[in-house]
Amino acid sequence: MSLDITALRQMLAQDSAALTQLKQLLANERELLEQRKQEGLQEIIERKAAVIDHLNNSARIRNQILNALGLSTNASGWDTFLQRNTATLPLRDEWKNLVSDFEECQKMNDVNGKMIARSQQTLNHLLNLLRGKVAAPSLYTAKGTQTQHSSSYTVAKA
């Protein structure tokens, strides 16, 4: 398999641009979630899906390259690949930046996911109140797990 350094550099640059766009979309999504605005969320979701498709395609290409060379198909395998050849060694810094940007996107996405989950909890609670359903108190067992029982527990066992 011949190495096209220009194509590799271009792929990394495109992935970096895609991650920058994804970070902006995640920031916009968070802003809308904080303001509890639904307008615009669908467009952000569609744009995020397109960016993620691009990143998945690049990941498949990297995996094909690594498989052909017998390297592990993960971030460290790609780092090893870049270190093996003096022509690809300069791309290593770009790769590290890409990994760092990806990790930042993951953290931002986790925060947005938690915000969505909390909003769903709040909405479900409000809907239950409107329906006249009062939630049972949430209690903890001796093992630390939550229960939803309306009966009480004794402090000690005989």
Side-chain angles (χ1 to χ4, degrees), residues 1 35 39 72 95 109 130:
M1 169 177 255
Q35 297 172 1
E39 305 85 30
S72 61
W95 172 249
N109 192 56
L130 287 173

Side-chain angles (χ1 to χ4, degrees), residues 116-158:
I116 290 169
R118 183 64 182 152
S119 292
Q120 286 176 330
Q121 276 183 328
T122 302
L123 181 63
N124 285 334
H125 178 71
L126 292 173
L127 285 173
N128 284 338
L129 288 175
L130 287 173
R131 292 179 188 137
K133 296 180 183 178
V134 178
S138 182
L139 303 172
Y140 291 96
T141 64
K143 294 180 182 179
T145 59
Q146 271 190 332
T147 61
Q148 294 286 335
H149 294 285
S150 59
S151 62
S152 63
Y153 287 99
T154 58
V155 176
K157 289 184 182 179

Side-chain angles (χ1 to χ4, degrees), residues 28-38 115:
N28 293 347
E29 181 181 52
R30 181 175 180 169
E31 184 177 318
L32 290 175
L33 290 171
E34 287 172 344
Q35 297 172 1
R36 297 184 187 267
K37 291 185 178 177
Q38 300 299 314
M115 290 176 71

Side-chain angles (χ1 to χ4, degrees), residues 101-120:
D101 286 347
F102 180 74
E103 289 170 351
E104 187 178 342
C105 284
Q106 283 182 315
K107 289 176 186 174
M108 291 174 76
N109 192 56
D110 288 345
V111 169
N112 289 359
K114 288 176 184 177
M115 290 176 71
I116 290 169
R118 183 64 182 152
S119 292
Q120 286 176 330

Side-chain angles (χ1 to χ4, degrees), residues 16-143:
S16 179
L19 285 173
T20 299
Q21 183 181 6
L22 184 58
K23 280 194 281 188
Q24 184 60 49
L25 289 169
L26 288 166
N28 293 347
E29 181 181 52
R30 181 175 180 169
E31 184 177 318
L32 290 175
L33 290 171
E34 287 172 344
Q35 297 172 1
R36 297 184 187 267
K37 291 185 178 177
Q38 300 299 314
E39 305 85 30
L41 278 177
Q42 187 61 37
E43 180 187 347
I44 288 174
I45 291 168
E46 290 169 3
R47 290 175 58 197
K48 280 185 356 183
V51 171
I52 290 170
D53 283 345
H54 167 80
L55 293 170
N56 282 334
N57 189 38
S58 292
R60 276 192 289 278
I61 292 169
R62 282 192 296 275
N63 285 343
Q64 289 171 352
I65 292 169
L66 294 174
N67 277 330
L69 296 172
L71 296 171
S72 61
T73 56
N74 56 24
S76 64
W78 189 255
D79 193 46
T80 302
F81 162 72
L82 294 175
Q83 290 180 48
R84 279 185 162 181
N85 189 327
T86 56
T88 58
L89 197 55
L91 299 177
R92 195 162 175 242
D93 288 336
E94 293 175 46
W95 172 249
K96 286 182 180 182
N97 290 337
L98 199 67
V99 170
S100 175
D101 286 347
F102 180 74
E103 289 170 351
E104 187 178 342
C105 284
Q106 283 182 315
K107 289 176 186 174
M108 291 174 76
N109 192 56
D110 288 345
V111 169
N112 289 359
K114 288 176 184 177
M115 290 176 71
I116 290 169
R118 183 64 182 152
S119 292
Q120 286 176 330
Q121 276 183 328
T122 302
L123 181 63
N124 285 334
H125 178 71
L126 292 173
L127 285 173
N128 284 338
L129 288 175
L130 287 173
R131 292 179 188 137
K133 296 180 183 178
V134 178
S138 182
L139 303 172
Y140 291 96
T141 64
K143 294 180 182 179

